[in-house]
Amino acid sequence: MADRRLAEVPRGECVTLLRGASFGRLGVSIDAVPAILPVLIALHDDSVVFQTVPGTKLAAAASNTVVALEVDDFDPERREGWSVLVRGIASVITDPERRAQACDLLDGSWIVDGSAQHLVSVSLDLVTGRRLHGADTATIPTT
Amino acid sequence: MADRRLAEVPRGECVTLLRGASFGRLGVSIDAVPAILPVLIALHDDSVVFQTVPGTKLAAAASNTVVALEVDDFDPERREGWSVLVRGIASVITDPERRAQACDLLDGSWIVDGSAQHLVSVSLDLVTGRRLHGADTATIPTT
């Protein structure tokens, strides 16, 4: 076994990593139980936007509540990578112009029926990131 | 844009997918705010096991509470893949034999200091999965 090293990623770099991501995982509470669900994402006006289908538990859970949104990229072979965690208020985008912009950014969406989509934005209230370096480092994290 | 299709994955297949995974994401509530954190995982005795460093917020949050644990594999190019979500009670493994077995399964752990690790198991109380097929299908999910 080898020593590993965990380092905090500054907010600016976290936002850059978010900008390059098209896929993330949404953490919500459904019936008071935590759940994690994959979502297609894009960065738009200092928010992360994603789409859901109206009427789902996800849509209900993600409206005007605090949610977590995670993006990561880990290499299982090298056992190194990074993760970024956004925590903020989720709100449904209703303004037509913002909806159109968000749709453009989410072009190539995985589930298609434009008019029927909820578009949800998550404010970047709290953005944190961690980077795990490979075996060439020798510091063991203690926190 | 193309139509996509989302299908439920049966529990048995979910467990098989979990067995093949070494990396997952833990959903917990930290200070009443949802968070998602990457963890090294293994399947052991009908539980998912992972390690944390004692004294962390993660360790506190993951002890005897209901947590979510997600594993996925999506191909951004083909826009298809699968995700499995486990929801269950997290409990610290204290039995020496079970600790040893869990350590073996988590061999090659990303953060190393065996004696200082919390080993946590998550019961497979609720296991669900979804598979997203590519553009060659024509059904739009409505739920």
Side-chain angles (χ1 to χ4, degrees):
Chain A
M1 295 199 293
D3 295 335
R4 308 283 166 177
R5 188 171 167 210
L6 206 58
E8 284 189 19
V9 178
R11 182 185 170 106
E13 189 180 341
C14 287
V15 173
T16 301
L17 290 167
L18 283 170
R19 186 167 287 117
S22 61
F23 174 70
R25 296 154 198 95
L26 185 76
V28 294
S29 184
I30 297 179
D31 300 333
V33 174
I36 300 174
L37 299 163
V39 285
L40 179 75
I41 63 163
L43 198 64
H44 177 230
D45 279 354
D46 296 328
S47 296
V48 178
V49 295
F50 67 91
Q51 60 174 7
T52 73
V53 178
T56 58
K57 288 181 178 179
L58 174 57
S63 295
N64 300 308
T65 59
V66 177
V67 300
L69 207 147
E70 191 252 15
V71 171
D72 64 45
D73 186 16
F74 280 91
D75 181 335
E77 292 299 315
R78 296 174 58 87
R79 294 183 182 275
E80 63 182 31
W82 55 266
S83 65
V84 170
L85 176 63
V86 174
R87 283 167 285 178
I89 303 284
S91 50
V92 175
I93 305 173
T94 54
D95 175 72
E97 190 175 345
R98 286 200 69 213
R99 274 186 63 89
Q101 290 167 348
C103 274
D104 279 350
L105 288 168
L106 292 167
D107 187 41
S109 57
W110 298 26
I111 298 169
V112 171
D113 183 356
S115 62
Q117 293 300 310
H118 261 329
L119 292 166
V120 180
S121 72
V122 179
S123 52
L124 302 186
D125 293 340
L126 193 56
V127 181
T128 55
R130 299 194 298 177
R131 190 180 292 277
L132 185 71
H133 297 286
D136 56 340
T137 58
T139 306
I140 298 168
T142 57
T143 56
Chain B
M1 296 199 291
D3 294 337
R4 307 284 167 177
R5 186 169 168 212
L6 206 59
E8 284 189 20
V9 178
R11 181 186 170 107
E13 189 180 340
C14 287
V15 173
T16 302
L17 290 167
L18 283 170
R19 185 168 287 115
S22 60
F23 172 70
R25 295 157 199 93
L26 185 75
V28 294
S29 184
I30 296 179
D31 299 334
V33 174
I36 300 174
L37 299 163
V39 285
L40 179 75
I41 63 164
L43 198 65
H44 177 230
D45 279 355
D46 297 328
S47 297
V48 178
V49 295
F50 67 92
Q51 59 175 7
T52 73
V53 179
T56 58
K57 289 180 178 180
L58 174 57
S63 295
N64 301 309
T65 59
V66 177
V67 300
L69 207 147
E70 190 253 16
V71 171
D72 64 45
D73 186 16
F74 280 92
D75 181 336
E77 292 298 314
R78 295 174 58 86
R79 296 183 181 272
E80 63 182 31
W82 55 266
S83 66
V84 170
L85 176 63
V86 174
R87 283 167 285 178
I89 303 284
S91 50
V92 175
I93 305 173
T94 54
D95 176 71
E97 190 175 344
R98 285 201 69 213
R99 274 186 63 88
Q101 291 167 348
C103 273
D104 280 350
L105 288 167
L106 292 167
D107 187 40
S109 57
W110 299 26
I111 298 168
V112 171
D113 183 355
S115 63
Q117 293 299 311
H118 261 331
L119 293 166
V120 180
S121 72
V122 179
S123 52
L124 302 186
D125 293 340
L126 193 56
V127 181
T128 54
R130 299 193 298 177
R131 190 181 291 278
L132 184 71
H133 297 285
D136 55 341
T137 58
T139 306
I140 298 169
T142 56
T143 56

